[in-house]
Amino acid sequence: MLRKYFPILTWGATYNRDTLTNDLIAAVIVTIMLIPQSLAYALLAGLPAEVGLYASIAPLLLYALLGTSRALAVGPVAVASLMTAAAVGQLAAQGTPEYLGAAIALAFLSGLMLLGMGFLRLGFLASFLSHPVISGFITASGIIIAASQLKHILGVKAEGHNLLELLTSILGRLGEINLPTLVIGAAATAFLFWARKGLKGYLKKRGYTDKMAGILARTGPVAAVAVTTFLTWAFGLSDWGVRIVGEVPQGLPMPTLPPLDLDLWSKIAVPALLITVVGYVETISVAQTLAAKRRQRIDPDQELIALGGANVSSALSGGFPVTGGFARSVVNFDAGAETPAAGAFTAVGMALATLFLTPLLYFLPQATLAATIIVAVLSLVDLGALKHTWSFSRPDFAAMAATILVTLASGVENGIVAGVALSIFLHLYRTSRPHVAIVGQVPGTEHFRNVERHAVITAPDVVTIRVDESLYFPNARFLEDTVYAQVASNKALGHVVLMFPAVNDVDASALESLEAINERLTDSGVTLHLSEVKGPVMDRLKRSHLLDDLTGRVFLTQYDAMKALAPELTARTLAACRRDTLRTAG
């Protein structure tokens, strides 16, 4: 039980010097990457810069203790930061104690929800968010985040919770652009894009190894921060209107409690739930992808507990909601992290940064942090997925497109709610019209296939309907209509066989439909039979009156059914093909 809830007892038992070395190297690389990111995501969430640092210490320690992924890097991420700003921005003004208190409460409540879901083993609930919905939401969020940072690049004031509001606000203030800020922001953005795409190749041409070039390329944001901070200080650019981070409190975060305000908690309950679900889906996707590469496994329910503990610890140390970051986790993985201890070492590095580096951040331009955010989030935008989804599944495309459009037009909360609602609606619609097929015998075999796809033999007085989905309340009436249509179109029909090889469940509504079909076919002089019923479904049917009232029989296989109902035709179909085969062989 202890090993289940504290995975550190498992991997810690085999920890050695080589593992320590690899984890330390990975921690140094991730720390260098995380320092500018944590500052930038605090800015995105509308919080003081130090809050990003605080959210990058305790959560990493808790995840190292409770997490099952060996490479996941927990901390502030773009989407959760945007959702935090959207939720808290409706309750208080940025820069006020009430705003910070609401963000802390949001992290605490989200952590409690994650812990509750983990102890109740509700990890499966995340499956209700389909991949197209998540992909559409992240794409739209990336566009909104990038648009929201343009004001920092241009040096103007702009407000808005959706793309239209942001762009309208920015366009109305183009005459107020601060030129030094624009130069810094544009140069930093261009450099970071080049560092992401071309710096590694440039360094390899200069003789660096592939690994070393990759490590140095990831320090691009730190280089941008250092250079622009120095230039702002050296040339006094803050006097020219360049907005800077300003004083960042030096020292470790002090323990704090979230506001115990029930009215506040009720207002942030829905946003906390959305952050919980979206954060968990993103976390579990990254963790499973990286675990598969090393043939490792993770425990989804324990990940809920680990992520919940990380968020509670973030709140208690003055931070905001955190989750598993894709880019950081990939860097952590590529850098050679072998255990969650790498995250704990990263936390130590972030703690040292809060103790000794914060005075150096005073002249850091907000435009540089905005450039860091823009470059990071645009990698999440995947409009090409719309084309692929359209060609594969129109309903999934509809869910994805609706999520993108609603998020862009109405904000992140409405976007994710719309996507989930549409996904559930489309699922109910699809399953309300399950695939059914009239099947016949493949000559020379005991197999049965769709009459519309294969050359098969059917008996004139027997129709076999293969049901390719579980039966429950949305599709029960559809099955009735299908059976009655077959009976009405064939006056010679004497037997109906419902073939259930793909039916995994039958609920009470579907049971009533089967009973109604049996009664109506009896009145029409037609016998109802079942074939290839799975064991669990048969167990459930035995607890009802259907099998007692069934006018026909339950057959183990469809071949048994046809051998009993049309024996001569079935035997002749099987034998004829065998004679042709023997004649050809002879």
Side-chain angles (χ1 to χ4, degrees):
M1 184 61 70
L2 283 176
R3 287 179 181 271
K4 174 178 175 57
Y5 289 109
F6 295 94
I8 189 174
L9 298 176
T10 299
W11 58 261
T14 58
Y15 207 76
N16 55 45
R17 181 176 298 179
D18 292 337
T19 306
L20 172 64
T21 301
N22 292 332
D23 284 347
L24 283 173
I25 293 173
V28 171
I29 296 171
V30 174
T31 300
I32 293 172
M33 181 181 185
L34 183 55
I35 290 173
Q37 279 192 352
S38 62
L39 299 171
Y41 292 146
L43 176 70
L44 175 59
L47 296 164
E50 66 270 15
V51 177
L53 298 174
Y54 297 163
S56 304
I57 300 176
L60 280 69
L61 294 173
L62 260 291
Y63 186 83
L65 184 66
L66 302 174
T68 60
S69 172
R70 302 294 180 94
L72 188 71
V74 173
V77 297
V79 174
S81 300
L82 175 64
M83 296 178 74
T84 298
V88 180
Q90 302 175 13
L91 304 175
Q94 288 189 14
T96 63
E98 290 77 15
Y99 190 97
L100 176 58
I104 292 174
L106 191 64
F108 191 77
L109 185 55
S110 176
L112 292 180
M113 290 179 175
L114 286 162
L115 287 171
M117 292 171 63
F119 286 120
L120 294 175
R121 307 189 68 80
L122 299 180
F124 70 91
L125 291 178
S127 302
F128 286 101
L129 272 179
S130 67
H131 177 74
V133 167
I134 287 293
S135 177
F137 175 71
I138 291 177
T139 292
S141 297
I143 294 173
I144 291 178
I145 291 170
S148 72
Q149 298 308 298
L150 290 177
K151 62 183 180 183
H152 298 296
I153 298 291
L154 301 175
V156 300
K157 294 182 178 180
E159 301 295 336
H161 294 95
N162 57 60
L163 184 63
L164 182 60
E165 292 177 355
L166 286 168
L167 294 181
T168 301
S169 181
I170 291 172
L171 290 174
R173 291 178 169 82
L174 289 180
E176 305 171 10
I177 292 177
N178 181 273
L179 187 58
T181 301
L182 177 60
V183 172
I184 290 174
T189 303
F191 169 75
L192 291 173
F193 270 119
W194 176 75
R196 177 171 289 228
K197 299 291 184 180
L199 181 56
K200 181 178 179 180
Y202 174 81
L203 294 173
K204 289 175 66 176
K205 290 180 180 179
R206 293 295 181 273
Y208 289 90
T209 64
D210 183 77
K211 184 174 182 179
M212 181 57 67
I215 293 173
L216 292 176
R218 295 187 181 102
T219 64
V222 176
V225 166
V227 171
T228 56
T229 300
F230 173 77
L231 292 176
T232 303
W233 167 76
F235 293 99
L237 296 181
S238 59
D239 297 332
W240 292 76
V242 175
R243 294 191 180 94
I244 58 177
V245 170
E247 184 177 358
V248 178
Q250 189 173 7
L252 295 175
M254 296 299 294
T256 184
L257 287 176
L260 301 178
D261 184 345
L262 293 181
D263 182 58
L264 171 64
W265 284 45
S266 65
K267 291 178 180 177
I268 64 173
V270 173
L273 178 61
L274 295 178
I275 290 175
T276 294
V277 176
V278 172
Y280 174 66
V281 170
E282 183 178 0
T283 297
I284 204 70
S285 299
V286 175
Q288 288 177 335
T289 299
L290 296 180
K293 291 183 178 182
R294 291 180 178 171
R295 297 190 179 185
Q296 297 169 347
R297 65 176 298 274
I298 63 170
D299 183 342
D301 292 313
Q302 180 61 24
E303 285 300 297
L304 280 168
I305 295 174
L307 194 57
N311 275 277
V312 169
S313 66
S314 180
L316 295 179
S317 57
F320 61 107
V322 297
T323 185
F326 177 76
R328 276 198 309 276
S329 298
V330 172
V331 170
N332 196 40
F333 179 89
D334 291 341
E338 293 190 30
T339 71
F345 297 143
T346 301
V348 173
M350 297 302 295
L352 293 175
T354 64
L355 287 172
F356 303 110
L357 298 183
T358 51
L360 303 178
L361 301 174
Y362 185 91
F363 288 101
L364 172 60
Q366 292 185 8
T368 303
L369 295 180
T372 301
I373 293 173
I374 290 174
V375 174
V377 300
L378 286 183
S379 65
L380 303 176
V381 176
D382 186 13
L383 295 176
L386 282 168
K387 178 180 178 182
H388 301 315
T389 308
W390 168 266
S391 62
F392 184 76
S393 172
R394 303 297 167 82
D396 285 335
F397 169 83
M400 186 176 185
T403 303
I404 292 175
L405 292 175
V406 174
T407 302
L408 292 177
S410 186
V412 291
E413 291 182 10
N414 291 336
I416 194 66
V417 169
V420 173
L422 186 56
S423 291
I424 294 174
F425 170 78
L426 290 173
H427 171 73
L428 293 175
Y429 175 76
R430 281 195 296 254
T431 56
S432 70
R433 303 177 64 82
H435 181 266
V436 296
I438 308 301
V439 301
Q441 184 180 1
V442 178
T445 73
E446 298 180 4
H447 302 295
F448 291 78
R449 294 293 185 269
N450 191 336
V451 298
E452 296 180 358
R453 295 177 178 271
H454 302 273
V456 294
I457 306 299
T458 60
D461 62 334
V462 180
V463 65
T464 299
I465 303 174
R466 191 189 68 212
V467 182
D468 293 335
E469 189 144 1
S470 293
L471 297 174
Y472 71 128
F473 65 94
N475 60 28
R477 183 57 60 88
F478 179 81
L479 180 62
E480 290 186 51
D481 294 340
T482 301
V483 173
Y484 299 154
Q486 289 296 319
V487 174
S489 63
N490 186 355
K491 302 301 181 183
L493 192 63
H495 302 276
V496 170
V497 182
L498 293 180
M499 187 177 174
F500 282 3
V503 176
N504 297 312
D505 190 28
V506 175
D507 73 356
S509 298
L511 175 63
E512 290 187 4
S513 291
L514 291 175
E515 292 173 342
I517 291 171
N518 185 55
E519 293 178 6
R520 188 160 178 177
L521 292 185
T522 300
D523 295 339
S524 302
V526 178
T527 305
L528 176 65
H529 307 271
L530 304 178
S531 73
E532 302 192 10
V533 182
K534 290 186 174 180
V537 176
M538 180 61 74
D539 292 340
R540 179 165 293 186
L541 294 180
K542 287 179 179 178
R543 297 196 295 268
S544 71
H545 296 291
L546 176 65
L547 299 183
D548 296 330
D549 300 333
L550 190 68
T551 55
R553 297 167 54 187
V554 178
F555 296 97
L556 182 62
T557 68
Q558 181 58 31
Y559 180 75
D560 291 339
M562 292 305 297
K563 191 166 60 172
L565 302 177
E568 295 183 2
L569 178 64
T570 303
R572 191 163 60 247
T573 302
L574 185 64
C577 187
R578 286 179 175 174
R579 286 197 301 271
D580 293 341
T581 302
L582 291 173
R583 188 181 303 114
T584 302

